[in-house]
Amino acid sequence: MTNHCPHIGLSLLMALGMMLTAPEVTHASDATAPAAVQPHENSATNSLREDVAKNWNFPPGLAGSKHVRVRVHLKLNRSGEIVGKPKVTVTGGPKGTKQAMAAAAMRAVLRAAPFKNLPIDQYDTWKEVSLNFAPAL
Amino acid sequence: MIRKSFVRLLVVLAGLMAVASTPAYAVVELNINKGNVQPMPIAITDLLSNDTLGPQISSVIAADLQRSGLFAPINKQAFIEKITNPDSTPRFQDWTSINAQALVTGRVTQEGGRLRAEFRLWDTFGNSQMIGQQFFAQPDNWRRVAHIIADAIYQKITGEKGYFDTRVVFVAESGPKTARKTQLGIMDQDGANARMLTDGSDLVLTPRFSPNRQEVTYMSFANQQPRVYLLQLQTGQRELVGNFPGMTFSPRFSPDGQRVIMSLQQEGNANIYTMDLRSRTTTRLTSTAAIDTSPSYSPDGTQVAFESDRGGQPQIYVMNADGSNQRRISFGNGSYSTPVWSPRGDLIAFTKRAGGNFSIGVMKPDGSGERILTSGSYSEGPTWAPNGRVIMFFRAPSGASGPQIYSIDLTGYNEQKIPTPGFASDPAWSPLLE
């Protein structure tokens, strides 16, 4: 068989094992809005935000990425570790980009955790956090 | 009535439940707008095999992903876990501790003269498998298997289709500048498997793939007559496209592969024509006393971008596919040529010349949003990767004795030289096979 022939007898037979089981992605309308939402930042939450931003690694220039909004809701224990599975909500943009951006946001959170240097006396200000990812590209 | 009260009761209950679940503290909302656009670190282990095929396939996968500029394969020396059974779940911590955000494992076996390649892509921080697939191929096609695996990884992580299992036709140039020999060449997108399609006895220019990748249309000076030809890649059979009295040049296929659109020169003017490949009927689309050339269809086939000097110097125009509604879209300084519509449909790539400077850039189909991707010495002829993310072009660096092919990301980063057997120009990227 020569190289230039496109029919090379190559076939995808089956997917092995399970498919992607990573971040659970729900639609915005399914998400329960937190009861008391007030943008509230202090130095503790600022450092948390910086930690996640540093780890938010996504390919620049993905089709329609500027329309994608990803929200990751997480609960933290007093040691700054994530409790349970963070909840991911994604809206806007084309499907492929949406999934890729949701997974990238989830990776950023998981890579950044556990969050260190969060003041224990201000636990109430960071025990439950919603991160809104919106690429400014 | 009863139903109404029941509904009211439900509303009250729902309200009570909402109050009960209200936390006593505020949920902090944090906005993150700036990420880290560094390439993503990925660990690509050698696919297990009894021969060298496993490591060979892995190194082609790693090279593809690295060249895309979006991934940074981690040096194998840094790996902690040695994968001995690709069917079992890896020790994720061994991979997150070397900062691998994704991991590739797998094996290659040969059964009855066939190669079987399996791979799994793991989300190391999410502790889960992202994809697992297997492929069968003839052992000779191991590079293609590697490209298909790299495409699957690329698509899973970026959400965009890959472009590694593609090829490029180009013009290979050899010999002295005054007596340059040109041959039609074809190679994988990474420069591997290059071979010649013509023997070099005639000058050849502007090869372009058909949508099914089985044919190439190009211009050749066979019999001293510059004409557009069609070449069947599988059989090597060549035929003339149309029998026109004048010179035909600058051909390109329609997105459905049914027509070739090209320029026909008569008495110093050139106009754009299409030829239906089945009925062999031709249709004239432009009629000016200028040079109209380099036509390129929009991916939906409804519009054509082309180059014309009807306004004095070469500029880009767009018209409907039937030739109606011709309008100029390029208005910057200098001249614009070789428009090529992106496979995504949202951009047109072009060559721009201003002063002594050449640039490759993109603009929207209405002419807005012009963006230069790369500038410098003589550059020309952009061609799009099938996913609309990467552009190849050719450049003759000043002082060099011949041109070379380069690729650049749509973001203007990651310029790379494509290895070719000698000098090379006029690249045209193949579509992806579905």
Side-chain angles (χ1 to χ4, degrees):
Chain A
M1 188 73 68
T2 51
N3 276 319
H4 62 270
C5 171
H7 306 292
I8 61 165
L10 184 114
S11 59
L12 163 62
L13 279 201
M14 54 178 282
L16 286 174
M18 54 190 175
M19 294 308 282
L20 174 70
T21 56
E24 191 181 289
V25 176
T26 54
H27 292 288
S29 52
D30 306 330
T32 8
V37 179
Q38 277 301 320
H40 178 89
E41 289 191 37
N42 56 26
S43 59
T45 52
N46 236 340
S47 92
L48 191 151
R49 191 211 353 232
E50 301 277 297
D51 284 352
V52 175
K54 251 192 313 209
N55 285 291
W56 186 28
N57 200 200
F58 66 92
L62 289 185
S65 63
K66 65 180 176 200
H67 304 297
V68 178
R69 297 286 174 272
V70 186
R71 181 185 171 95
V72 180
H73 186 91
L74 60 149
K75 291 181 179 170
L76 298 171
N77 67 16
R78 288 172 182 273
S79 315
E81 291 162 347
I82 296 171
V83 180
K85 199 171 177 183
K87 191 168 178 180
V88 184
T89 312
V90 57
T91 54
K95 191 179 160 208
T97 304
K98 219 160 149 171
Q99 284 172 356
M101 300 284 292
M106 189 68 161
R107 272 198 305 274
V109 171
L110 296 174
R111 286 174 71 205
F115 300 95
K116 298 295 179 195
N117 310 318
L118 294 174
I120 197 79
D121 56 335
Q122 295 170 31
Y123 181 49
D124 272 356
T125 69
W126 51 263
K127 70 191 290 188
E128 198 166 339
V129 180
S130 266
L131 296 159
N132 298 305
F133 295 81
L137 285 176
Chain B
M1 196 62 187
I2 293 173
R3 198 171 154 186
K4 223 177 193 173
S5 342
F6 180 65
V7 169
R8 203 171 292 145
L9 177 67
L10 274 185
V11 170
V12 172
L13 277 177
L16 283 174
M17 281 165 70
V19 170
S21 64
T22 304
Y25 51 89
V27 174
V28 183
E29 295 271 328
L30 298 175
N31 294 324
I32 301 182
N33 306 109
K34 233 187 184 166
N36 161 8
V37 291
Q38 295 302 309
M40 178 188 187
I42 183 170
I44 300 162
T45 63
D46 284 340
L47 303 190
L48 294 185
S49 68
N50 291 330
D51 46 30
T52 57
L53 266 185
Q56 280 172 268
I57 289 177
S58 291
S59 68
V60 170
I61 297 170
D64 278 348
L65 293 175
Q66 177 149 36
R67 243 189 5 268
S68 76
L70 302 182
F71 296 86
I74 295 170
N75 188 335
K76 288 182 210 164
Q77 308 281 316
F79 294 176
I80 300 165
E81 180 181 7
K82 187 175 162 55
I83 302 291
T84 50
N85 177 7
D87 296 327
S88 63
T89 304
R91 291 195 305 267
F92 292 114
Q93 216 190 335
D94 282 0
W95 300 98
T96 57
S97 68
I98 59 167
N99 200 27
Q101 294 189 35
L103 165 69
V104 179
T105 62
R107 75 158 71 81
V108 186
T109 47
Q110 297 209 39
E111 291 163 10
R114 275 197 323 172
L115 179 153
R116 173 181 163 184
E118 305 159 50
F119 85 98
R120 291 169 194 261
L121 173 68
W122 303 91
D123 177 352
T124 52
F125 284 89
N127 293 359
S128 60
Q129 179 180 309
M130 297 173 84
I131 343 171
Q133 290 177 341
Q134 66 176 348
F135 302 95
F136 290 87
Q138 293 178 348
D140 285 356
N141 284 311
W142 66 269
R143 288 191 74 92
R144 189 158 178 215
V145 170
H147 293 315
I148 290 172
I149 293 174
D151 278 333
I153 295 168
Y154 181 98
Q155 182 168 357
K156 191 73 220 179
I157 291 173
T158 68
E160 291 180 339
K161 273 194 181 308
Y163 57 90
F164 305 123
D165 179 31
T166 54
R167 287 184 296 163
V168 173
V169 285
F170 63 100
V171 173
E173 302 187 18
S174 55
K177 256 185 176 172
T178 46
R180 193 54 60 91
K181 182 167 116 174
T182 60
Q183 285 173 277
L184 226 51
I186 188 167
M187 62 185 175
D188 296 350
Q189 50 76 31
D190 58 358
N193 292 325
R195 65 187 182 86
M196 296 304 133
L197 299 168
T198 59
D199 61 11
S201 48
D202 304 313
L203 181 70
V204 289
L205 284 170
T206 63
R208 310 288 179 229
F209 266 109
S210 65
N212 66 7
R213 319 211 290 191
Q214 314 228 17
E215 296 148 297
V216 169
T217 179
Y218 65 105
M219 181 210 193
S220 169
F221 283 71
N223 309 319
Q224 312 310 316
Q225 257 293 48
R227 291 285 181 83
V228 168
Y229 289 85
L230 205 59
L231 178 74
Q232 302 288 336
L233 287 176
Q234 230 164 319
T235 59
Q237 196 189 344
R238 189 179 81 161
E239 60 175 310
L240 191 63
V241 176
N243 192 13
F244 298 99
M247 151 178 166
T248 50
F249 57 104
S250 201
R252 203 180 280 275
F253 282 93
S254 60
D256 62 6
Q258 303 292 313
R259 275 157 288 151
V260 167
I261 190 166
M262 61 195 161
S263 285
L264 165 63
Q265 181 163 359
Q266 283 167 313
E267 295 164 3
N269 303 333
N271 282 293
I272 295 172
Y273 286 73
T274 58
M275 197 189 83
D276 188 294
L277 292 172
R278 282 195 191 146
S279 64
R280 304 273 150 175
T281 53
T282 57
T283 310
R284 180 172 179 158
L285 299 184
T286 69
S287 70
T288 58
I291 307 285
D292 292 348
T293 185
S294 298
S296 168
Y297 277 99
S298 60
D300 64 4
T302 62
Q303 296 183 84
V304 174
F306 63 101
E307 166 193 332
S308 174
D309 65 357
R310 60 183 73 175
Q313 62 177 347
Q315 295 291 345
I316 299 172
Y317 291 73
V318 168
M319 62 183 167
N320 294 341
D322 63 1
S324 63
N325 194 19
Q326 297 179 18
R327 69 256 182 213
R328 178 172 162 185
I329 63 159
S330 65
F331 290 96
N333 288 334
S335 65
Y336 292 75
S337 55
T338 69
V340 191
W341 219 298
S342 149
R344 285 185 194 167
D346 56 347
L347 292 171
I348 291 172
F350 56 80
T351 306
K352 178 177 183 173
R353 186 178 185 177
N357 207 28
F358 287 84
S359 308
I360 301 292
V362 292
M363 63 173 71
K364 291 184 184 162
D366 65 1
S368 67
E370 179 179 328
R371 203 151 51 81
I372 297 300
L373 303 179
T374 179
S375 283
S377 52
Y378 180 77
S379 305
E380 205 187 327
T383 177
W384 292 90
N387 69 352
R389 165 138 211 141
V390 183
I391 287 175
M392 264 186 204
F393 61 98
F394 68 100
R395 169 183 290 156
S398 45
S401 41
Q404 294 286 351
I405 297 176
Y406 294 79
S407 67
I408 191 158
D409 193 90
L410 190 52
T411 55
Y413 291 102
N414 196 32
E415 186 171 308
Q416 309 240 356
K417 191 172 141 214
I418 308 297
T420 48
F423 295 126
S425 58
D426 253 342
W429 216 313
S430 80
L432 262 184
L433 275 190
E434 291 301 328

